Amino acid sequence: MDKKNIDWANIGFGYVQTDKRFVSNFKDGKWDDGQLTDDATVVISECAGVLQYAQTCFEGMKAYTTEDGRVVVFRPDLNAKRMEDSAKRLEMPVFPQDRFVKAIEETVKANLAYVPPYGSGATLYIRPYMFGSSSVIGVKPAEEYQFRVFTTPVGPYFKGGAKPITIKVSDFDRAAPHGTGHIKAGLNYAMSLHAIVTAHAEGFDENMYLDAATRTKVEETGGANFIFVTKDNTVVTPKSNSILPSITRRSLMYVAEHYLGLKVEEREVYFDEVKDFAECGLCGTAAVISPVGKINDHGKEICFPSGMEEMGPITKKLYDTLTGIQMGRIEAPEGWIYEIK
Ligand code: PLP
Ligand code: COI
């Protein structure tokens, strides 16, 4: 397989159009067989449910080239399950989980030339998504839907890769109690845009959102969950019904406990205790693990002992082990690695 002539080591996290994408339509109560297409555009009614009432959800995952040259995807079954949860909460039809995984496989296979080589630092980001495509003007679910999967080669989500970032405590809320924070609804990201533009304009890389009800507990950022490390090396992650159940975070907690022999805690994390942690990181498919060096709380700074130059030691071990598993250098737990054949 000849790879495309792309400067893999220097690409950012952006959209690059690849050759093929998967499309399936839901009409008259059922999904059609779906197919790959060269057409990277979507044509829908001006009154489509997605355009009027934001009826859309998505997923994000990556394909990796392993050390021995295979192309693999990390835990796609969990993305399939989460998309099912998102669809149900948004009154959309479920795209069957087995068909979801097959569609991922077909799309990656059709774009193998864009899967970055091993060791390049880049990966192929896979974006499955679904939206209401038929017209609705009264507030109700659409009757027709489109499920699509495209791929795009990506580099690090945050400029500087593994360099620690600075985040701010946001004055905006991301998700309400009993709202949609636990699913991957497009609307969660639409409402975060003003907050992220504001944070960037003030010189911060991301927002830390607190729980909307009491503003005392740590939730997550706009696109990643938090992990913290205590001074005695316990890995702590916030538990909340209004954050996205990150597949990376769930995997890291397993890695911390079973590969690194660390104590792990998933529990409510009060913002007041954040200053006492030794390390802080953001985790997600796009973010992998991005170390946080500093948190700005309305002018008051929390500076983690790991500093602004490199990842803290436990974060680094978690990063090395997770990426080692994803790139085939370290044996994966049963079922974590899906090979594209
Ligand atoms: N939280 C939010 C809001 C996200 O958008 C993402 C990205 O998918 C995550 C967390 C991380 O989830 P995952 O590790 O499944 O990619
Ligand atoms: C991901 O990590 O896949 C995300 O969806 C985060 C962001 C790009 C929205």
Side-chain angles (χ1 to χ4, degrees):
M1 164 60 57
D2 285 342
K3 295 286 178 192
K4 295 284 170 183
N5 185 20
I6 292 173
D7 183 9
W8 307 106
N10 291 305
I11 52 175
F13 196 90
Y15 174 70
V16 174
Q17 190 178 314
T18 56
D19 294 343
K20 305 276 184 189
R21 68 277 307 130
F22 180 87
V23 186
S24 176
N25 287 292
F26 182 89
K27 197 173 173 184
D28 300 327
K30 56 181 192 303
W31 289 105
D32 67 14
D33 288 344
Q35 59 179 3
L36 292 171
T37 171
D38 293 338
D39 190 355
T41 61
V42 176
V43 178
I44 47 175
S45 162
E46 64 184 353
C47 200
V50 58
L51 299 179
Q52 302 310 321
Y53 303 124
Q55 198 185 14
T56 179
C57 61
F58 69 98
E59 273 303 324
M61 58 227 282
K62 282 173 173 172
Y64 308 84
T65 304
T66 60
E67 193 171 24
D68 60 0
R70 293 171 300 137
V71 172
V72 301
V73 179
F74 187 68
R75 310 187 79 179
D77 52 318
L78 298 189
N79 294 92
K81 169 70 175 79
R82 193 169 63 190
M83 190 137 179
E84 175 169 339
D85 296 340
S86 298
K88 285 179 175 163
R89 179 64 174 78
L90 294 171
E91 292 296 334
M92 302 167 90
V94 170
F95 194 74
Q97 291 184 31
D98 57 333
R99 289 199 56 201
F100 176 101
V101 174
K102 270 216 185 88
I104 302 305
E105 174 156 22
E106 255 187 75
T107 315
V108 172
K109 234 172 159 164
N111 294 295
L112 280 177
Y114 294 91
V115 183
Y118 176 76
S120 65
T123 52
L124 187 73
Y125 187 71
I126 308 164
R127 174 53 62 86
Y129 60 114
M130 192 197 290
F131 51 87
S133 52
S134 62
S135 58
V136 283
I137 194 72
V139 178
K140 62 178 182 189
E143 293 195 335
E144 296 174 13
Y145 293 84
Q146 202 166 97
F147 169 82
R148 299 177 72 101
V149 183
F150 71 76
T151 59
T152 180
V154 294
Y157 190 65
F158 293 106
K159 279 195 209 87
K163 271 254 179 211
I165 59 170
T166 302
I167 64 176
K168 69 167 281 188
V169 177
S170 183
D171 288 324
F172 301 101
D173 293 322
R174 175 178 181 275
H178 314 292
T180 55
H182 62 300
I183 58 161
K184 219 160 158 58
L187 60 92
N188 293 338
Y189 300 82
M191 53 65 58
S192 76
L193 297 177
H194 181 60
I196 193 67
V197 168
T198 304
H200 285 165
E202 293 170 356
F204 302 105
D205 298 296
E206 250 295 0
N207 283 298
M208 168 184 270
Y209 292 104
L210 301 180
D211 74 296
T214 70
R215 294 192 151 254
T216 57
K217 289 175 268 185
V218 177
E219 293 258 294
E220 60 175 328
T221 70
N225 283 180
F226 279 103
I227 49 164
F228 299 99
V229 182
T230 65
K231 288 182 178 135
D232 59 0
N233 291 349
T234 297
V235 181
V236 179
T237 194
K239 188 181 174 77
S240 160
N241 291 333
S242 46
I243 65 175
L244 194 75
S246 159
I247 294 161
T248 313
R249 182 255 296 166
R250 286 180 267 163
S251 305
L252 284 170
M253 296 304 273
Y254 184 93
V255 162
E257 189 175 0
H258 299 281
Y259 281 63
L260 304 178
L262 299 170
K263 208 168 142 226
V264 296
E265 289 174 1
E266 185 185 356
R267 60 164 173 85
E268 290 185 330
V269 173
Y270 284 86
F271 181 68
D272 275 353
E273 56 180 310
V274 169
K275 62 179 186 328
D276 299 323
F277 289 123
E279 298 175 41
C280 172
L282 307 184
C283 63
T285 298
V288 193
I289 311 177
S290 301
V292 174
K294 207 189 280 182
I295 301 176
N296 188 301
D297 173 25
H298 303 89
K300 244 182 16 216
E301 288 190 340
I302 296 174
C303 299
F304 293 101
S306 46
M308 292 304 294
E309 283 310 310
E310 53 193 9
M311 284 191 190
I314 298 290
T315 307
K316 175 91 169 80
K317 274 191 193 165
L318 286 168
Y319 179 92
D320 286 346
T321 312
L322 181 74
T323 52
I325 289 170
Q326 290 167 334
M327 312 273 177
R329 294 185 297 266
I330 297 174
E331 191 170 344
E334 176 82 26
W336 279 25
I337 298 298
Y338 188 90
E339 188 173 344
I340 305 296
K341 286 188 179 150

